[in-house]
Amino acid sequence: MDGGGGRLKAIAWSPDGFRVATSLETDSNIATLWDAQTVTQTLTFLGHSGALRSIVFSPDSSRLATASDDHTLRVWDIISGVSIMTLEGHTSPVLSVHYTPDGRRLVSGSSDSTIKTWDTTTGGNLGRAIVFEGHTKPVLSVAVESPGDPNSTRIASGSEDSTIRIWDSSLVICLTTLDGHQGTVSSVVFGPRYLGSGSSDAMVRLWPKHSLSSADAITLRGHPTPVNSVAFSPDGTRIVSSSDDGTWKLWDAESDVPNEKMDWHTDWALSCAMFKDTWLATGGGDGLVKLWDATTGRLAKNLVGDIGERIWSLAFSNDGARLASGSKDGTVRIWEVESGDCLFT
């Protein structure tokens, strides 16, 4: 897959496993849809006037949402390629976007320091949203509770102001502000038992969901440089973190000691994806994609593409049989996980 020469920053695999979407941060300002089986381009989504920051499929795989530096979000029909909605209201670049589990709303975080929720069931262009205000600096990451959780209306946001805020999306109030990080909160993610966060202060923190109190937070120390991203295993017992020093750490969520330090990237560790409790994939500034045994934390395979081209994004297919990787040179590669072979570029 040739992304068109710009820097490929995001990949999303549709929940039904049939499609892959890619987005470019620079140059083309487009999102592209690919058939995951034939690896052929099916649609190009044109409309944004600024760089794309984040893309996400709806839970039913029928729509794609894109967030852009042009201060807007767009919702696209993946069959026709038509822009169904243009969501206007942010006054600065939109950095993160997620669907709620029921697919009825989008949640966005922006450089304007706000979080917004958008009703996606209404057609036409929408110029209004529910606004959540409280952060004093850009919001870099947002997370929404998983399906089946009794508190599924909760939203978490991480900001450059070093705080995490928890919001009730129904009542439109901030339930609590979590202090503790001493730097930008670059990543937040909900797991079954904890909210996880990563920060430029080189710390990973776990916040018990039953209390979401700063006093109850577990601090995971071990990275010497800023933490870029965090992700839970599906059962929530482990959390993986990536750092600017090129290492990944796989932590026991009940302990403050990493199970395994994964330090085979020779440049920044930039992206990660986990498939159930089987595989962990990591991508680095060294152009390598690595597959790890998610149980033992041991390296299983090296997937070698273009050395030196940074791997910005990774995504597993729903069945875990294939892995998509996106790199700085604008290309997408589809890998067969079992053999480690590159099937398509």
Side-chain angles (χ1 to χ4, degrees):
M1 297 181 189
D2 185 347
R7 178 182 295 177
L8 190 60
K9 285 284 287 184
I11 295 177
W13 210 304
S14 64
D16 63 13
F18 295 133
R19 298 171 178 85
V20 174
T22 62
S23 69
L24 295 164
E25 185 189 41
T26 58
D27 297 334
S28 298
N29 307 321
I30 64 173
T32 304
L33 193 69
W34 309 81
D35 184 302
Q37 303 304 313
T38 63
V39 198
T40 55
Q41 182 177 325
T42 58
L43 284 174
T44 299
F45 303 102
L46 298 169
H48 283 294
S49 60
L52 300 184
R53 294 291 188 139
S54 183
I55 57 175
V56 63
F57 279 98
S58 62
D60 67 0
S61 301
S62 68
R63 296 179 176 185
L64 183 74
T66 54
S68 172
D69 276 356
D70 65 10
H71 308 176
T72 72
L73 300 99
R74 285 180 179 254
V75 178
W76 310 83
D77 181 275
I78 66 165
I79 302 300
S80 66
V82 172
S83 176
I84 302 169
M85 300 178 186
T86 300
L87 307 178
E88 300 174 336
H90 283 298
T91 58
S92 292
V94 186
L95 306 178
S96 183
V97 60
H98 283 273
Y99 269 98
T100 56
D102 62 8
R104 296 175 63 86
R105 289 175 295 166
L106 280 171
V107 180
S108 60
S110 169
S111 290
D112 64 13
S113 305
T114 70
I115 301 96
K116 295 180 186 289
T117 61
W118 312 82
D119 183 354
T120 63
T121 62
T122 304
N125 290 342
L126 303 179
R128 62 186 183 279
I130 298 173
V131 184
F132 299 80
E133 296 180 301
H135 284 297
T136 59
K137 291 185 178 180
V139 176
L140 301 186
S141 180
V142 293
V144 184
E145 286 276 24
S146 299
D149 191 287
N151 299 307
S152 60
T153 60
R154 291 194 296 189
I155 297 167
S157 56
S159 170
E160 284 186 9
D161 64 13
S162 304
T163 70
I164 299 166
R165 287 179 176 258
I166 308 298
W167 312 85
D168 186 302
S169 64
S170 298
L171 300 176
V172 197
I173 60 172
C174 180
L175 298 174
T176 188
T177 300
L178 302 177
D179 299 304
H181 281 299
Q182 302 301 310
T184 294
V185 181
S186 54
S187 181
V188 291
V189 60
F190 278 110
R193 296 183 58 192
Y194 297 98
L195 172 72
S197 61
S199 169
S200 63
D201 64 8
M203 303 297 178
V204 176
R205 288 181 180 265
L206 300 178
W207 316 81
K209 283 168 54 176
H210 69 272
S211 65
L212 286 175
S213 166
S214 298
D216 296 330
I218 301 169
T219 302
L220 309 180
R221 296 179 173 88
H223 285 294
T225 55
V227 175
N228 297 318
S229 62
V230 293
F232 279 105
S233 62
D235 64 3
T237 61
R238 286 165 295 166
I239 187 170
V240 64
S241 55
S242 68
S243 173
D244 274 2
D245 66 355
T247 68
W248 296 84
K249 294 182 185 293
L250 187 64
W251 308 82
D252 183 339
E254 306 300 324
S255 168
D256 61 358
V257 178
N259 289 342
E260 193 76 21
K261 176 184 176 182
M262 297 167 275
D263 58 0
W264 282 272
H265 284 291
T266 57
D267 204 332
W268 291 0
L270 298 172
S271 54
C272 71
M274 187 175 284
F275 177 71
K276 296 184 177 179
D277 295 321
T278 308
W279 295 108
L280 170 68
T282 65
D286 52 11
L288 297 178
V289 177
K290 294 177 179 287
L291 282 175
W292 311 81
D293 186 309
T295 301
T296 65
R298 294 178 180 174
L299 180 65
K301 296 180 177 71
N302 277 315
L303 311 181
V304 181
D306 290 335
I307 301 299
E309 293 292 351
R310 293 179 175 181
I311 306 299
W312 287 109
S313 188
L314 295 164
F316 280 102
S317 61
N318 258 17
D319 60 4
R322 295 183 177 187
L323 176 72
S325 63
S327 68
K328 180 183 176 182
D329 64 2
T331 62
V332 178
R333 285 180 167 80
I334 302 295
W335 308 86
E336 184 178 57
V337 171
E338 188 63 32
S339 67
D341 293 336
C342 180
L343 301 177
F344 306 99
T345 299

